[in-house]
């Protein structure tokens, strides 16, 4: 078998070309080839063929297509028989290919050999290999498929790979003195990517080197003007350096550096490197020797698994190593603490880690797929063609990190874990690095660095005992050194004596054949605290989140926030907690265990329960206040608000900022409250988070949380709470496409609301049923349900709900072409929303009003409405909705003959869509191109949304 996907999709069997079948079968084959011999999950195949709206029979259709493709590749294969080429793998399917059978893999192999030649200072050979690799591209990937089918394939990553190879080939050609060898490829890449500065810089450089100085100058001027006109920016350093050298008629000092993807941010998430890092010379040398080949020459995706016992310094070593190698990864560094061994059990699941990494890479929430497998695939696609360093700290096991591993060349992944992760080595070729406790020399070096060489040298016997009792564990040595440094007049012999006499217990962390008395060190260190700091240290063990703030510590300790900050500063100085981000503190795992043991010893069960309850109520009250700010018309939380004073949440931005920062903590509070029997508080917190789940696209977290809330509501045996839980879970299920489950839940919720005579509950249920109808294309049904909700809200005197639904009713009238009726409802909604201070709802309503005016031909009124919506969206920081409004405003400008104003609006929308990585950027760009060419046919309009 032989396949081609770098251009027309083609396949051969024994030299005879095959017809790849019907359009969907061709699309399925293309997706399997684009994934280049890797397993493709069923969920990804479904998304690749139908996008976000697959039919109910999607899986069965895919299985039929797989059967057809198998028989195409292997004639005579019996039905349902397992084929040789297309096989089941990892819950999906895999097409068996290699560099001899697939042009994409051949391209990657040639590029890898070329990079190896560059590292061996053989640029001429590199040019030949890159030229051969680029010659395999015969056009757009999977050309010949229908445009809508190609739009669903993950082709952006392959385009970035191709562009990266062109850039590297240009660098090699200049280094080899053969700049003309890739000039044709550079011209084509520059034409296809007119705003890619690294490509334009290389083209300019190649033109200069081949004697085309005038063309080089005109190329620079053209790209400079294009950048200014279309993006409003000046050329970057690479272009400026080449231009300066061109004007001075001297060769640039160096070739342009490795490019970065322009439409995505450059993350820099590494924690601070330890200023007093010491030791580990052997491990560092070995790591650099192993990893430099993988990252500096071949460009392959390299993995290093760093293991060792708790407290041995795995995270510190990984962060230091990452800083040492960061300059090799110009596209940025990602860091995530997976909390695989968190004593609280608050492990960061892979699916949420992927979401966080996609956020860091600049992928907007509305562009992230709902399926976890598809999210992981998108993460790999975003990394493809980029050189990024990924640090996955505190992994539980191989499966914990598997979805977080880059799949394309050019990246380095450092994984730390207390386990050895043999599966990572066997399945992914990871390099294993095991850290042991410090030997005597390294331990003395650490103490000397922190206490002074003279002090350590003066008492060798005491130092030896300290090292022995700390078992060479860097964490224990660091805590002890902090304590001893604060008492410079204490002899180290006294320190050794106190350490010898201290008592504690960390038996759960004892390692066979290693005598680790870490508890003695921790007890001695925590015992040196003032009484208030020691009190806070113990109570912090009750905090269920991965980290905490000074306000949370103040609630636990029952002290003012200003006092809690001073107490936390003392704990940081004693190395008992770390301030890993401004204002956010965390325990090391061993220290949390130590604090927990002290807590159980010093505080009764009743006191612990009272303090935990106070903390949970603080988070629930603040989340409830944030919810009221974000969504005053949202489905209410039954029962009285928590008595504990809430944190300060003053406006929309403040509410979002607090919820974003505390999000992992809040999920931990839900779990802890449910486990401790505070069912009603846990339910209320879940429902307070519902608007945030939707704003940020945390739909899978929301689904899990709402399932917990329904279980707790049923345990409470309270019909009103159960009805609220049914509505919340139904909305969460609908967000991820589980309509077969959400509709029956809403029907059950409606029955309960009727039985309870709960008109507000009935109104919110009808709103949700209206959205379900909208998703099924039943706009008339959506309007009917929202009218019922409006009548119920009005009768109950519920003004926030009434105002919100008035806009929804108006929007659905507009969708049905009833624009005057839409305006009547929307203006009525606007007045109430303004009185209530619901600025988010006001922005959406202005947008609805403008949409209706536009379709009535009242273009000045439409423009005024869009301006109001834009002003509010910009103040609220909602760039996606701002871009949608700008896009529609461009249509209105065009309808009035304001072509330049239309271009300006679309240009601003294009900038926002591009920054968000949204697919509408391409459509808006095409519309701008049409207008520049004098064609004004057709409208590009993005439908809006209701409050």
């Amino acid at each position: 078998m032989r396949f081609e996907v770098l251009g027309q999709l083609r396949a051969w069997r024994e030299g005879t070309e095959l017809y790849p079948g019907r359009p969907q079968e061709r699309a399925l084959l293309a997706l399997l080839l684009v994934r280049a011999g890797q397993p493709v999950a069923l969920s990804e195949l479904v998304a690749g063929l139908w996008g976000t709206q697959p039919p109910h029979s999607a899986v069965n259709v895919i299985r039929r297509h797989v059967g057809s493709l198998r028989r195409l590749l292997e004639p005579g294969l019996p039905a349902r028989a397992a084929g040789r080429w297309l096989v089941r793998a990892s819950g999906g399917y895999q097409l068996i290919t290699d560099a001899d059978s697939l042009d994409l893999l051949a391209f990657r192999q040639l590029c890898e050999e070329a990079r190896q030649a560059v590292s061996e200072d053989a640029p001429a050979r590199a040019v030949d290999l890159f030229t051969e690799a680029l010659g395999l591209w015969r056009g757009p990937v999977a050309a010949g498929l229908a445009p809508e089918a190609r739009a669903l394939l993950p082709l952006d990553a392959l385009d970035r790979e191709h562009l990266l190879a062109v850039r590297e080939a240009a660098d090699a050609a200049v280094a080899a003195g053969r700049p003309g060898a890739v000039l044709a490829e550079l011209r084509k890449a520059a034409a296809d990517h007119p705003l890619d500065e690294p490509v334009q810089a290389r083209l300019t450089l190649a033109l200069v080197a081949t004697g085309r100085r005038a063309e080089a100058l005109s190329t620079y001027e053209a790209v400079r003007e294009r950048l200014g006109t279309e993006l409003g920016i000046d050329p970057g350093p690479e272009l400026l350096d080449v231009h300066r050298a061109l004007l001075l008629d001297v060769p640039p000092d160096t070739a342009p550096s490795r490019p970065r993807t322009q439409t995505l941010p450059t993350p820099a998430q590494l924690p601070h490197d330890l200023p007093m890092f010491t030791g580990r010379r052997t491990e560092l040398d070995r790591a650099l020797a192993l990893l430099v080949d993988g990252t500096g020459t071949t460009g392959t995706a390299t993995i290093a698994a760093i293991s060792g016992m708790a407290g041995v310094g795995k995270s510190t070593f990984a962060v230091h190593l990452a800083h040492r190698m960061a300059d090799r990864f110009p596209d940025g560094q990602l860091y995530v603490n997976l909390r695989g061994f968190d004593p609280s059990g608050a492990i960061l699941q892979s699916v949420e880690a992927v979401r966080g990494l996609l956020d860091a890479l600049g992928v907007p929430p509305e562009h992230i797929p709902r399926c976890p497998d598809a999210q992981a695939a998108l993460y790999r696609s975003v990394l493809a063609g980029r050189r990024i360093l990924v640090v996955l700290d505190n992994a539980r096991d191989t499966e914990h990190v598997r979805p977080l591993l880059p799949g394309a060349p050019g990246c380095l992944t450092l994984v730390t874990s207390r386990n050895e992760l043999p599966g990572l080595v066997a399945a992914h070729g990871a390099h294993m690095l095991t850290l042991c406790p410090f030997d005597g020399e390294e331990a003395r070096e650490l103490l000397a660095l922190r206490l002074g060489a003279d002090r350590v040298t003066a008492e060798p016997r005491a130092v030896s005992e300290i090292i022995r009792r700390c078992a060479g564990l860097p964490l224990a040595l660091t805590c002890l050194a902090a304590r001893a440094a604060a008492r410079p007049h204490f002899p180290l012999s006294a320190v050794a004596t106190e350490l010898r006499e201290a008592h504690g217990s960390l038996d759960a962390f004892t390692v066979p054949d290693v005598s680790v008395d870490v508890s003695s060190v921790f007890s001695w260190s925590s015992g040196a605290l003032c009484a208030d700091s020691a009190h806070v240290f113990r109570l912090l063990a009750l905090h269920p989140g991965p980290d905490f703030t000074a306000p949370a510590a103040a609630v636990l300790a029952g002290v003012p926030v200003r006092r809690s900050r001073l107490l936390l500063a003392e704990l940081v100085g004693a190395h008992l907690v770390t301030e890993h981000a401004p204002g956010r503190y965390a325990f090391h795992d061993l220290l949390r265990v130590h604090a927990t043991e002290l807590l159980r010893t010093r505080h009764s069960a009743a006191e612990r329960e009272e303090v935990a309850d106070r903390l949970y109520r603080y988070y629930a009250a603040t989340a409830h206040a944030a919810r009221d700010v974000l969504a005053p018309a949202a489905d209410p939380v039954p029962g009285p608000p928590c008595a504990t004073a809430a944190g300060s949440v003053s406006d929309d931005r403040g509410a979002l900022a607090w919820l974003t920062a505390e999000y992992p903590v809040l999920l931990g509070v839900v779990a802890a409250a449910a486990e401790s029997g505070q069912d009603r508080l846990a339910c209320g917190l879940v429902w307070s988070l519902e608007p945030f789940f939707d704003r940020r696209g945390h739909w899978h977290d929301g689904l899990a949380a709402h399932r917990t809330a329904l279980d707790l509501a049923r345990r409470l045996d309270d019909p009103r709470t159960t009805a609220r839980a049914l509505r919340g879970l139904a909305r969460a299920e609908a967000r991820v496409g589980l309509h077969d489950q959400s509709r029956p839940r809403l029907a059950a919720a409606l029955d309960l609301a009727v039985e309870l005579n709960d008109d507000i509950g009935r109104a919110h249920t009808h709103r949700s049923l209206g959205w379900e109808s909208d998703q099924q294309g039943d706009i008339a049904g959506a309007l009917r349900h929202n009218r019922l909700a409006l009548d119920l809200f009005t009768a109950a005197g519920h003004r926030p709900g009434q105002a919100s639904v008035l806009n929804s009713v108006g929007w659905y009238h507009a969708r049905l072409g009833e624009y005057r009726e839409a305006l009547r409802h929307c203006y009525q909604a606007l007045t109430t929303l303004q009185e209530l201070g619901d600025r988010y709802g006001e922005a959406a309503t202005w947008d609805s009003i403008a949409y209706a005016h536009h379709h009535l031909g009242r273009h000045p009124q439409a423009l005024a409405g869009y301006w109001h919506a834009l002003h509010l969206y910009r103040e609220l920081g909602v760039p996606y909705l701002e871009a949608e409004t700008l896009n529609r405003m461009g249509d209105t400008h065009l309808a009035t003959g304001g072509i330049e104003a239309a271009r300006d609006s679309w240009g601003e929308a294009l900038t926002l869509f591009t920054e968000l990585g949204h697919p509408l950027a391409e459509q808006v760009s095409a519309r701008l191109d049409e207008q520049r060419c004098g064609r004004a046919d057709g409208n590009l309009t993005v439908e809006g949304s209701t409050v």
Side-chain angles (χ1 to χ4, degrees):
M1 294 300 307
R2 186 163 61 87
F3 304 94
E4 289 183 355
V5 72
L6 302 181
Q8 288 286 125
L9 178 66
R10 304 177 72 183
W12 290 265
R13 184 182 64 246
E14 297 178 355
T16 301
E17 186 164 3
L18 306 176
Y19 174 68
R22 292 169 293 183
Q24 273 203 333
E25 291 170 358
R26 294 170 63 84
L28 175 63
L29 176 60
L31 180 55
L32 292 166
L33 291 174
V34 165
R35 289 296 300 275
Q38 301 174 11
V40 186
L42 263 177
S43 57
E44 189 176 348
L45 292 171
V46 169
L49 294 188
W50 291 282
T52 58
Q53 295 183 324
H56 294 297
S57 59
V59 172
N60 289 332
V61 172
I62 285 176
R63 286 172 178 157
R64 288 199 298 270
H65 290 338
V66 166
S68 298
L69 281 175
R70 280 175 170 165
R71 289 187 290 277
L72 174 71
L73 304 180
E74 301 177 62
L77 186 71
R80 300 185 181 277
R84 173 186 172 192
W85 298 100
L86 183 50
V87 300
R88 286 196 63 83
S90 302
Y93 294 94
Q94 178 177 353
L95 190 62
I96 304 300
T97 55
D98 56 23
D100 293 328
S101 59
L102 176 61
D103 56 355
L104 174 57
L105 290 178
F107 164 78
R108 288 175 175 168
Q109 180 174 299
L110 287 166
C111 287
E112 185 174 334
E113 292 174 3
R115 294 179 181 116
Q116 181 68 29
V118 170
S119 71
E120 295 170 354
D121 198 22
R125 172 168 166 73
V127 172
D128 292 338
L129 290 165
F130 274 127
T131 301
E132 185 179 354
L134 293 171
L136 296 174
W137 289 72
R138 305 170 317 283
V141 177
L145 294 183
E148 57 270 20
R150 292 187 76 253
L152 295 174
L153 294 177
L155 303 183
D156 288 347
L158 297 185
D159 289 340
R160 286 196 294 269
E161 280 191 65
H162 178 252
L163 196 60
L164 176 63
V166 172
R167 295 166 179 168
E168 292 178 311
D171 293 344
V174 171
R178 296 166 52 192
V182 292
L183 189 55
E185 288 286 350
L186 269 175
R187 289 186 192 276
K188 185 176 183 304
D192 292 340
H193 302 272
L195 298 177
D196 188 303
E197 293 187 59
V199 165
Q200 301 294 340
R202 283 163 173 79
L203 174 59
T204 305
L205 184 64
L207 290 170
V208 173
T210 53
R212 298 171 172 85
R213 190 169 182 277
E215 186 181 352
L217 278 170
S218 64
T219 298
Y220 171 81
E221 288 300 327
V223 70
R224 183 188 63 78
E225 181 178 355
R226 195 179 300 118
L227 289 169
T229 302
E230 299 189 20
L231 300 182
I233 61 175
D234 294 324
E238 291 185 24
L239 268 172
L240 290 175
D241 287 347
V242 173
H243 182 236
R244 189 178 300 111
L246 179 59
L247 294 177
L248 297 174
D249 199 19
V250 297
D253 293 337
T254 61
S257 60
R258 187 178 296 277
R260 297 178 180 177
T261 304
Q262 288 193 352
T263 58
L264 295 174
T266 302
Q269 294 188 316
L270 291 180
H272 290 299
D273 195 7
L274 187 66
M276 292 186 176
F277 184 90
T278 187
R280 304 295 186 204
R281 294 184 185 85
T282 301
E283 292 90 339
L284 280 171
D285 290 342
R286 179 167 174 250
L288 292 169
L290 285 172
L291 302 177
V292 165
D293 286 342
T295 60
T297 60
T298 66
T300 56
T302 306
I303 304 168
I306 302 166
S307 64
M309 64 176 291
V312 81
K314 300 179 294 295
S315 299
T316 300
F317 176 83
V319 169
H320 182 73
L321 177 61
H323 279 283
R324 287 276 298 268
M325 304 190 71
D327 61 340
R328 299 175 181 272
F329 300 92
D331 294 320
Q333 308 92 42
L334 296 169
Y335 174 88
V336 59
N337 183 359
L338 296 170
R339 308 194 300 270
F341 297 88
D342 194 300
S344 70
I347 297 173
L348 182 67
Q349 299 299 328
S350 302
V351 62
E352 191 56 25
V354 169
R355 276 303 315 269
L357 292 171
L358 287 173
D359 289 342
L361 290 165
V363 180
E366 64 273 9
H367 191 44
I368 295 175
R370 294 169 178 166
C371 171
D373 289 341
Q375 290 177 3
L378 176 61
Y379 164 71
R380 291 191 295 270
S381 297
V382 173
L383 291 187
R386 307 179 80 192
R387 296 184 65 80
I388 286 183
L389 192 156
V390 183
V391 179
L392 305 176
D393 205 4
N394 294 316
R396 187 78 180 180
D397 50 34
T398 299
E399 291 305 315
H400 199 182
V401 298
R402 197 186 302 277
L404 309 174
L405 300 175
C411 293
L412 167 65
T413 306
L414 303 179
V415 183
T416 74
S417 178
R418 292 179 192 172
N419 294 329
E420 290 187 348
L421 306 181
L424 204 61
V425 178
H428 298 277
H431 301 293
M432 177 61 72
L433 295 168
T434 302
L435 300 185
C436 299
F438 278 171
D439 59 25
E441 181 180 351
E442 289 176 315
R444 282 185 177 81
E445 185 178 352
L446 184 151
L447 293 174
L449 189 63
R450 293 173 181 271
L451 301 177
D454 292 342
R455 191 176 178 189
V456 171
T457 304
E459 297 186 74
R461 291 183 62 183
V463 169
S464 295
E465 182 174 359
I466 289 170
I467 292 171
R468 178 173 58 81
R469 292 194 174 273
C470 290
L473 197 63
L475 178 63
L477 288 164
T478 300
C479 289
L480 183 142
R483 161 71 170 150
R487 303 292 188 273
H489 56 283
F490 278 26
L492 292 183
S493 58
V495 173
T497 300
E498 288 191 56
L499 185 58
R500 188 186 317 126
E501 295 173 353
H503 297 284
S505 176
L506 282 171
D507 294 341
F509 289 88
T510 299
V511 178
D513 302 323
V514 179
S515 177
V516 183
D517 193 13
V518 181
S519 180
S520 298
V521 177
F522 293 164
S523 296
W524 189 67
S525 188
S526 60
L529 298 169
C530 75
D532 286 350
S533 293
H535 182 69
V536 171
F537 177 70
R538 295 191 300 270
L539 293 183
L540 283 170
L542 292 168
H543 195 282
D547 60 4
F548 45 87
T549 61
V555 171
L556 278 169
V559 300
V561 174
R562 182 177 180 183
R563 176 63 176 159
S564 76
R565 288 196 177 97
L566 296 174
L567 298 176
L568 286 171
E570 183 178 353
L571 294 178
V572 170
H575 292 273
L576 291 171
V577 300
T578 59
E579 189 177 9
H580 68 91
R584 301 203 69 86
Y585 305 84
F587 275 121
H588 182 278
D589 294 348
L590 293 181
L591 287 163
R592 179 187 282 274
V593 171
H594 177 58
T596 301
E597 291 178 346
L598 293 175
L599 178 74
R600 290 171 179 167
T601 302
R602 309 283 183 88
H603 301 269
S604 67
E607 185 182 358
R608 298 197 301 268
E609 184 177 336
E610 178 186 351
V611 173
D613 178 73
R614 186 166 66 227
L615 179 72
Y616 301 162
R617 290 184 179 278
Y618 158 74
Y619 279 114
T622 311
H624 189 89
R627 170 245 184 226
D628 285 346
V629 170
L630 289 179
D635 207 340
V637 178
C642 295
T644 303
S648 176
V649 178
S650 58
D651 56 18
D652 195 280
R653 282 182 179 270
L656 280 175
W658 186 84
L659 288 167
T660 300
E662 300 292 352
Y663 182 59
V665 175
L666 294 168
L667 294 181
V669 173
V670 169
E675 185 178 349
S676 63
Q678 299 193 56
D679 298 348
R680 203 172 295 278
L681 185 146
C683 288
L685 181 52
V686 169
W687 299 330
S688 293
L689 289 173
E690 188 173 5
F692 182 73
F693 289 141
D694 287 341
R695 284 255 194 131
R696 286 290 188 258
H698 294 297
W699 297 308
H700 290 281
D701 279 350
L703 182 61
H706 281 293
R707 283 173 174 162
T708 297
L710 180 58
D711 290 341
L712 297 177
R714 286 171 171 162
R715 189 162 75 184
L716 286 166
D717 196 22
D718 177 357
R720 190 175 297 273
T721 305
T722 300
R724 177 61 179 83
L726 283 167
R727 292 196 298 272
L729 179 54
R731 286 189 287 265
E733 288 170 336
R735 288 293 187 190
V736 297
L738 301 176
H739 298 289
D740 289 343
Q741 298 177 32
S742 59
R743 284 190 294 271
R745 292 198 203 280
L746 288 173
L750 188 59
D751 290 342
L752 278 174
V754 171
E755 290 176 14
L756 294 165
N757 198 27
D758 179 8
D759 287 346
I760 299 301
R762 287 173 60 199
H764 283 289
T765 308
H766 278 298
R767 287 201 73 182
S768 298
L769 286 166
W771 191 81
E772 287 275 5
S773 299
D774 186 353
Q775 296 305 294
Q776 298 171 51
D778 181 10
I779 305 303
L783 177 59
R784 183 175 64 256
H785 280 295
N786 276 277
R787 279 190 171 282
L788 289 170
L790 178 59
D791 292 341
L792 290 164
F793 279 132
T794 303
H798 191 284
R799 295 186 72 217
Q802 180 184 358
S804 177
V805 176
L806 273 169
N807 179 50
S808 299
V809 169
W811 174 252
Y812 288 123
H813 274 300
R815 294 279 299 278
L816 291 170
E818 299 164 356
Y819 304 115
R820 289 180 173 81
E821 190 69 13
L823 287 172
R824 184 173 71 83
H825 285 86
C826 289
Y827 274 120
Q828 190 178 349
L830 184 67
T831 301
T832 307
L833 289 165
Q834 289 173 334
E835 292 173 359
L836 294 170
D838 185 352
R839 298 166 74 236
Y840 186 80
E842 182 186 347
T845 305
W846 274 120
D847 187 86
S848 300
I849 288 170
Y851 179 84
H853 277 309
H854 172 85
H855 286 84
L856 287 170
R858 301 171 180 172
H859 299 124
Q861 293 93 325
L863 289 174
Y866 284 136
W867 275 117
H868 284 301
L870 276 179
H871 173 74
L872 289 167
Y873 282 142
R874 284 167 176 167
E875 282 195 352
L876 294 171
V878 191
Y880 172 66
L881 295 178
E882 178 188 346
E884 284 192 330
T885 298
L886 281 164
N887 194 35
R888 285 192 284 275
M889 179 184 282
D891 291 341
T892 304
H893 278 306
L894 185 64
T896 65
I899 296 177
E900 288 302 320
R903 289 174 182 167
D904 290 343
S905 293
W906 288 328
E908 289 184 63
L910 175 61
T911 299
L912 288 170
F913 280 134
T914 301
E915 290 173 353
L916 292 168
H918 197 280
L920 280 172
E922 184 176 346
Q923 297 180 41
V924 177
S925 178
R927 185 66 188 281
L928 279 167
D929 290 341
E930 287 180 0
Q931 295 305 317
R932 292 191 186 98
C933 295
R935 299 192 301 272
D937 52 321
N939 281 332
L940 173 65
T941 303
V942 183
E943 294 295 341
S945 60
T946 59
V947 181

